[in-house]
Amino acid sequence: MSATDLTAADIDSAHFDSVLADAKATLERIAAEFSPAVFASSLAAEDMVLADLILRAKLPIKIFTLETGRLHAETLGMVDRIREVYGYDVALYKPEPAAVDAYVSANGLNAFYDSVEMRKECCRIRKVEPLNRAELAVQEDDAAHGMQKFNPLADWTEAEVWHYLKSNQVPYNPLHDKGYPSIGCEPCTRAIQPGEDVRAGRWWWENPESKECGLHVVDGKLVRIKSA
Ligand code: SF4
């Protein structure tokens, strides 16, 4: 059974009501107390819950995604779906074309398979630098950058995420129906088998300890707040 097969029978309704109320309250507090607030969305399932909550309540929280140039067509299609359903244009943060060209010319299009260093350099160019240009901190030490970050869905179960999406007819990335638990760049993300660790779907050719991109915002789940 994949995550998208989870049903209302898989949730505790009292817990769901509680975490939903908490998430709404957290987002309202963010919008009220921190401005400008931004939400880094991977356009995957959890982030669509947050997008729906933000957009339905018309909260002043800007939603953006990192358009790395290597996303699945299905993921890019979510930008269009959000525009259709909510009339909202998700902001796209893109890498510097010159930096991408230099990397590809020197190393090849898929050099990230060759070494951890090559992979991290690709992530730096396509993810970290676009956020730097957007003046968003990318370090864990966010306090030093005048940032605070929140995870309004920290206590949600996977079943609750899918219950929310389905009961509210929220659009979601069709890759989830094909076994993708999390969604990143196309060449670095794959479907997993039931029971397999979620991390098996990312950078599967690397040792587990090297699996990070120096950018904890990139896989969603975080609302980053820039203090004025
Ligand atoms: S996830 Fe893969 S394709 Fe995407 S930026 Fe990182 S190395 Fe490059």
Side-chain angles (χ1 to χ4, degrees):
M1 184 176 78
S2 76
T4 58
D5 296 323
L6 294 166
T7 69
D10 296 305
I11 69 162
D12 172 332
S13 60
H15 185 267
F16 177 73
D17 291 346
S18 170
V19 293
L20 178 57
D22 286 349
K24 287 181 177 178
T26 300
L27 289 171
E28 285 169 6
R29 185 169 70 83
I30 290 167
E33 297 181 12
F34 302 89
S35 177
V38 295
F39 169 35
S41 172
S42 68
L43 304 171
E46 283 191 13
D47 292 359
M48 287 309 301
V49 172
L50 287 172
D52 187 77
L53 290 170
I54 290 168
L55 295 171
R56 277 179 193 252
K58 298 186 173 13
L59 296 175
I61 298 175
K62 178 181 176 181
I63 303 173
F64 73 90
T65 196
L66 290 171
E67 210 292 67
T68 64
R70 301 303 303 267
L71 299 179
H72 297 80
E74 291 91 336
T75 303
L76 286 173
M78 291 304 297
V79 173
D80 295 332
R81 291 289 290 136
I82 290 169
R83 188 181 299 116
E84 288 165 15
V85 173
Y86 304 98
Y88 184 85
D89 285 323
V90 174
L92 301 179
Y93 292 178
K94 299 181 180 181
E96 283 283 3
V100 172
D101 287 350
Y103 176 92
V104 172
S105 297
N107 308 298
L109 184 62
N110 293 332
F112 39 79
Y113 291 131
D114 295 344
S115 69
V116 172
E117 290 70 29
M118 278 287 117
R119 202 268 297 156
K120 289 189 175 178
E121 178 63 2
C122 186
C123 284
R124 187 188 68 75
I125 292 168
R126 294 182 185 272
K127 297 175 178 177
V128 178
E129 285 303 318
L131 277 183
N132 283 341
R133 293 204 311 277
E135 298 180 351
L136 291 169
V138 295
Q139 305 299 318
E140 279 291 82
D141 183 16
D142 287 344
H145 296 79
M147 299 279 185
Q148 285 184 271
K149 57 188 182 183
F150 299 84
N151 180 1
L153 304 188
D155 296 327
W156 287 49
T157 66
E158 190 174 24
E160 287 168 341
V161 167
W162 284 101
H163 177 64
Y164 182 91
L165 293 176
K166 290 176 180 175
S167 56
N168 291 288
Q169 289 83 48
V170 178
Y172 67 85
N173 193 320
L175 291 174
H176 290 303
D177 288 325
K178 297 177 180 174
Y180 287 76
S182 67
I183 296 171
C185 292
E186 182 169 18
C188 299
T189 310
R190 68 175 182 179
I192 63 171
Q193 298 301 313
E196 224 180 339
D197 190 284
V198 167
R199 286 168 296 182
R202 288 293 188 89
W203 303 312
W204 58 92
W205 63 92
E206 293 184 358
N207 291 327
E209 58 269 20
S210 67
K211 288 189 182 186
E212 52 91 14
C213 61
L215 181 58
H216 303 283
V217 69
V218 77
D219 291 329
K221 301 181 184 172
L222 301 182
V223 173
R224 283 186 175 247
I225 306 303
K226 181 177 181 182
S227 299

